[in-house]
Amino acid sequence: MAPFDTSSLVLLLFAALGILSSNTSITIAVLVLLLLRVTNLHQTFPWLEKYGLTWGIVILTIGILTPIASGKTSLQDLLHSFLHWKSLLAVGVGVLVAYLGGRGAALMASQPTVVTGLLLGTILGVTFFRGVPVGPLIAAGILSLLVAK
């Protein structure tokens, strides 16, 4: 395997866009993948393709639940989420986002060719519109609503 084949060049382009947009997550992910390629550990790619999204969601969920585990968010705080209109709206939006994320995960699994476009769109949104790089799964969910059969 040549060190600068097409896949590596695309990954380097994504790394450059990640650096330009200050998107640390993209930059680190790309650099890890490049490291796996150059150290001849690319045999891990099928495993990462199959389980990477699941493990990423597990890690994200751990981060989200940590305030509850640490005691910073109490049961009383959670119950108060149902007493104010903004909190109720936040619960509804959370449900919608989780639904879209599920649709997005299914779309990304069934049509992996859209992943590159979603990542590029996210990077462009961060770079040119001061966005926050949290959206590929949700973007895929919205896309699934637009292209669903």
Side-chain angles (χ1 to χ4, degrees):
M1 174 171 47
F4 288 101
D5 59 14
T6 306
S7 296
S8 294
L9 289 174
V10 170
L11 288 172
L12 287 170
L13 174 66
F14 277 133
L17 288 172
I19 291 167
L20 287 173
S21 66
S22 300
N23 187 331
T24 308
S25 301
I26 294 288
T27 306
I28 291 171
V30 169
L31 293 176
V32 166
L33 291 170
L34 283 169
L35 184 64
L36 290 173
R37 287 180 65 82
V38 299
T39 58
N40 209 23
L41 292 173
H42 57 277
Q43 65 268 16
T44 60
F45 290 164
W47 186 89
L48 288 171
E49 287 179 33
K50 186 172 182 179
Y51 300 110
L53 183 60
T54 300
W55 279 101
I57 291 169
V58 168
I59 292 169
L60 180 62
T61 304
I62 289 169
I64 291 169
L65 293 175
T66 298
I68 295 170
S70 70
K72 289 182 182 175
T73 301
S74 67
L75 178 60
Q76 185 178 7
D77 294 330
L78 293 172
L79 293 176
H80 281 288
S81 294
F82 295 100
L83 299 178
H84 190 275
W85 73 269
K86 287 182 183 177
S87 297
L88 286 170
L89 185 59
V91 170
V93 169
V95 169
L96 176 64
V97 167
Y99 169 74
L100 289 174
R103 287 185 63 106
L107 178 73
M108 291 168 70
S110 68
Q111 298 181 33
T113 56
V114 301
V115 174
T116 304
L118 292 167
L119 287 175
L120 183 59
T122 298
I123 292 168
L124 292 173
V126 170
T127 303
F128 298 112
F129 300 106
R130 299 183 188 263
V132 179
V134 296
L137 259 183
I138 305 310
I142 293 169
L143 179 64
S144 77
L145 292 174
L146 299 174
V147 301
K149 296 177 180 168

